[in-house]
C-alpha cells in the first residue's frame, strides 16, 4: 500500500496575486485530480495572505487545504500588519507554517524567537489549526557538529507546551518540518543517512515529550521532481514542505505523482 504523505506548498512571496490566481484557475482540474490520486495524499497550499481567502473559496468542498505562511504571536490588539490565528481560522485555514528560517533570520523586527514561535503554536492549537513548525540548523552548526544542539533549542518550548497541553490537541496533526538552512533554495539535499538520523531523532523526542499528540515529520529544502524518489526510502517521513518547485504546477505535480507510481 502506498504511504500517506502531506505535500505543503510554501509559495513564499514567489507568486504575486495575479500569478497565484492564474496558477489555480489554469490548473484547477489537475489539482483536484492530483488530490484524488490516492486517499493517502494531502495537499496544502500556502499562498501569501491576501490570496488565501479567494483561493479557499475557489477550492471549497474539495480535498485541497490551505495554510498561512505565518501568524501573529498575539491573540488580538494593536499589532499593525499582523494576522491572527483567529482570522486564519475564520477564513478556513486549517494549517499554518511557523518558525520558517526566512522569518527567523530576516525579520528581526517581528521577533521570531523560539518563545514567540511557541506563543504562535499555542494560539494555533486553540483555533484547531495544524501548526507546521520549521526547525533546521545552519551550515556552520552542521560543520561544527551542533545540529542536535540547535534543534533541541528550537524544539524545547514547543515540546514543553505540547506536554503541558496534551489534552487540547484531540488528534490535530502537529507537523515538525525539518528544513536544514543550507538546503533551502540551494539545490543541495542532505545525505540520506544524515537525514534519516535527524528524522528518527525528531520522532523520538516528540513522542517522548507528548506521546498522545499526532506528530508528523516533514522534510523541506530543495525538494524537486529529480530528487523526490530518494525520500521514499526514508521511514519516518510524513510529507514535504516545498518552496520553489511548488510554484510551478507541472513540477509540483511531478513531485506528487512520482511518490505514487
Ligand atoms: P525550497 O524551499 O523548496 O525552495 O528549497 C523550502 C522552504 O523554504 O520551505
Amino acid at each position: 500500500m502506498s504511504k500517506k504523505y502531506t505535500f505543503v506548498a510554501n509559495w513564499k512571496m514567489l507568486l504575486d496575486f495575479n500569478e497565484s490566481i492564474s496558477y489555480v484557475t489554469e490548473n484547477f482540474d489537475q489539482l483536484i485530480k492530483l488530490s484524488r490520486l490516492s486517499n493517502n495524499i494531502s495537499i496544502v497550499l500556502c499562498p501569501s495572505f491576501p490570496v488565501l481567502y479567494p483561493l479557499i473559496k475557489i477550492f471549497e468542498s474539495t480535498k485541497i487545504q490551505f495554510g498561512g505562511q505565518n501568524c501573529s504571536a498575539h491573540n488580538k490588539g494593536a499589532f499593525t500588519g499582523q494576522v491572527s490565528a483567529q482570522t486564519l481560522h475564520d477564513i478556513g485555514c486549517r494549517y499554518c507554517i511557523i518558525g520558517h528560517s526566512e522569518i527567523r533570520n530576516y525579520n528581526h523586527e517581528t521577533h521570531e524567537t523560539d518563545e514567540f514561535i511557541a506563543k504562535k503554536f499555542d494560539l494555533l492549537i486553540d483555533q484547531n489549526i495544524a501548526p507546521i513548525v520549521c526547525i533546521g540548523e545552519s551550515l556552520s552548526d552542521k560543520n561544527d557538529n551542533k545540529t542536535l544542539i540547535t534543534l533541541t533549542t528550537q524544539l524545547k518550548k514547543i515540546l514543553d507546551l505540547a506536554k503541558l497541553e496534551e489534552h487540547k490537541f484531540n488528534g490535530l496533526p502537529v507537523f515538525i518540518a525539518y528544513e536544514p538552512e543550507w538546503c533551502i533554495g540551494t539545490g543541495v539535499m542532505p545525505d540520506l543517512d544524515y537525514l534519516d538520523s535527524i528524522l528518527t531523532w525528531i520522532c523520538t523526542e516528540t513522542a517522548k515529550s507528548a506521546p498522545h499528540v499526532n506528530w508528523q515529520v516533514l522534510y523541506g529544502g530543495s525538494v524537486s521532481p529529480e530528487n523526490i524518489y530518494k525520500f521514499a526510502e526514508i521511514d519516518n517521513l510524513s510529507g514535504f514542505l516545498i518552496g520553489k518547485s511548488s510554484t510551478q504546477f507541472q513540477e509540483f505535480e511531478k513531485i506528487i505523482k512520482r511518490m505514487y507510481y
Side-chain angles (χ1 to χ4, degrees), residues 244-257:
K244 193 158 177 290
S245 299
S246 73
T247 60
Q248 299 207 344
F249 177 71
Q250 282 73 15
E251 296 278 291
F252 190 47
E253 185 182 38
K254 274 189 209 156
I255 289 175
I256 297 178
K257 283 190 167 168

Side-chain angles (χ1 to χ4, degrees), residues 10 12 100 102 179 183-185 220-223 241-245:
N10 176 12
K12 311 188 181 192
H100 193 284
E102 285 158 8
E179 297 208 309
C183 296
I184 296 177
S222 299
V223 174
L241 183 51
I242 309 161
K244 193 158 177 290
S245 299

Side-chain angles (χ1 to χ4, degrees), residues 22-205:
S22 303
Y23 182 111
V24 301
T25 46
E26 284 163 19
N27 302 300
F28 183 86
D29 291 341
Q30 293 99 305
L31 266 165
I32 301 294
K33 233 163 108 186
L34 200 54
S35 70
R36 291 190 185 142
L37 261 186
S38 155
N39 284 339
N40 286 337
I41 295 179
S42 299
I43 296 179
V44 181
L45 303 181
C46 302
S48 54
F49 284 133
V51 196
L52 267 172
Y53 188 61
L55 295 201
I56 288 171
K57 284 282 150 205
I58 292 173
F59 285 95
E60 220 162 25
S61 317
T62 73
K63 264 187 78 190
I64 307 287
Q65 296 284 323
F66 286 87
Q69 292 181 12
N70 195 9
C71 72
S72 176
H74 306 282
N75 204 7
K76 200 183 177 88
F79 299 101
T80 302
Q82 300 199 24
V83 175
S84 68
Q86 171 81 59
T87 294
L88 291 178
H89 172 266
D90 292 349
I91 64 167
C93 261
R94 296 293 166 254
Y95 298 79
C96 184
I97 299 168
I98 49 177
H100 193 284
S101 60
E102 285 158 8
I103 301 179
R104 287 181 192 262
N105 296 340
Y106 308 160
N107 292 21
H108 299 297
E109 72 276 17
T110 61
H111 305 291
E112 192 71 337
T113 58
D114 292 320
E115 197 169 1
F116 269 74
I117 295 163
K119 283 187 184 173
K120 295 177 182 190
F121 181 84
D122 202 20
L123 292 168
L124 290 170
I125 303 301
D126 285 344
Q127 295 298 335
N128 208 29
I129 294 176
I132 302 169
V133 184
C134 300
I135 59 171
E137 78 285 11
S138 66
L139 186 58
S140 64
D141 288 338
K142 177 177 181 277
N143 291 341
D144 297 345
N145 285 325
K146 287 189 179 149
T147 298
L148 290 189
I149 297 173
T150 299
L151 300 185
T152 303
T153 310
Q154 291 175 337
L155 271 179
K156 178 156 189 344
K157 289 199 163 53
I158 298 290
L159 296 186
D160 288 350
L161 222 107
K163 188 175 182 173
L164 207 73
E165 300 188 336
E166 223 174 345
H167 59 282
K168 275 196 187 174
F169 290 82
N170 289 323
L172 182 75
V174 176
F175 297 88
I176 303 296
Y178 172 57
E179 297 208 309
E181 286 179 25
W182 45 281
C183 296
I184 296 177
T186 56
V188 175
M189 105 169 236
D191 174 78
L192 286 186
D193 288 340
Y194 180 81
L195 182 58
D196 199 22
S197 69
I198 304 281
L199 299 182
T200 306
W201 179 84
I202 295 172
C203 287
T204 311
E205 292 303 302

